[in-house]
Amino acid sequence: MRIDSTGRTALVTGSTQGIGAAIAAGLARSGARVAINGRTEKSVGEAVERLRAEVPDGEFVPAAADVTTDEGARRVLEIVPGVDILVNNLGIFGSQPALEIDDDEWRRYFEVNVLSAIRLTRLVLPGMVERSWGRVLDIASDSAIVIPAEMIHYGMSKTALLAVSRGFAKEAAGTGVTVNSVLAGPTHTGGVEDFVYSLVDTDLPWDEAQREFMKKYRPQSLLQRLIEPEEIANMVVYLSSAQASATTGAAVRVDGGYIDSIVP
């Protein structure tokens, strides 16, 4: 299978590092023009430099804006109008005892992880429908189904994203536009390294710390290692393509077998 997204414009939120950057690189390799999004001009500029070195033939557009606000969402779409592929990747996570999560923190997780995706989808979906082609991908998590005791506010936000994706898929039914979510499993990123070391001995070398984390906190994983960002990106690139035209309203797993279920 050869995936060719030449002529398509993609926006990947939170794409200056980690999974978002890997998705941006993958989409660029498939031929898409990719908008790189982050909060600051500096972080976006540095990310674009790295991505251009990684994918010399890729076309990357700096799109610095805070998409957790209505003004920021509209600003980024002024920079890249006519988005064909929207990847709602922006998200925050962290551990906190359930009874210590206050109202403001609950709201913050919902606004960043869920409402930012709703807002951007609402803004781009009419144009996609008018053009009879579009792809919306919400990057969810195994935590949407297997709620972690140490971060139920994060799990809640990712569960909400599954409902959002399914609902917008129904809104786009029969139009040629697909909307899906991706259930990403425990993934190796810089932020996750910090998270792992917040839960295990900081004196352990990374390989030992990773194994200890998976054994103690993610024992259900069939992969028995952290997933690399590129492995998540491969699925997103496929779901963003013309070849994935019959997949919509789905929660697609790239979880290393972590979710103990035979469906989806």
Side-chain angles (χ1 to χ4, degrees), residues 10 37 78 105 185-186 191 213 217 226 232 250 254-255:
N37 167 253
E78 287 174 0
E105 194 71 344
F213 170 77
Y217 293 97
L226 289 173
I232 307 296
V254 192
D255 67 331

Side-chain angles (χ1 to χ4, degrees), residues 11-15 36-40 63-77 79-80 86-91 111-121 123:
L11 167 61
V12 184
T13 65
S15 47
I36 304 305
N37 167 253
R39 290 175 184 266
T40 69
D66 181 0
V67 296
T68 65
T69 68
D70 183 68
E71 179 184 0
R74 292 181 185 279
R75 169 61 182 151
V76 80
L77 294 175
I79 297 170
V80 278
L86 171 64
V87 182
N88 289 309
N89 170 73
L90 176 65
E111 288 176 0
V112 174
N113 292 2
V114 185
L115 191 54
S116 65
I118 292 171
R119 184 182 295 113
L120 281 168
T121 303
L123 289 170

Side-chain angles (χ1 to χ4, degrees), residues 89-157:
N89 170 73
L90 176 65
I92 54 174
F93 67 93
S95 61
Q96 192 169 353
L99 297 179
E100 295 178 13
I101 307 169
D102 62 23
D103 289 358
D104 287 340
E105 194 71 344
W106 280 106
R107 291 188 190 98
R108 187 169 77 97
Y109 269 75
F110 182 81
E111 288 176 0
V112 174
N113 292 2
V114 185
L115 191 54
S116 65
I118 292 171
R119 184 182 295 113
L120 281 168
T121 303
R122 192 173 60 219
L123 289 170
V124 304
L125 198 59
M128 292 179 175
V129 169
E130 186 177 337
R131 295 188 297 274
S132 300
W133 202 95
R135 301 286 184 266
V136 178
L137 279 301
D138 293 323
I139 306 303
S141 166
D142 58 81
S143 296
I145 297 172
V146 187
I147 306 295
E150 74 277 7
M151 49 180 187
I152 65 171
H153 50 342
Y154 174 74
M156 170 279 300
S157 70

Side-chain angles (χ1 to χ4, degrees), residues 232-244:
I232 307 296
N234 290 339
M235 179 62 77
V236 175
V237 171
Y238 166 69
L239 291 172
S240 300
S241 72
Q243 285 90 335

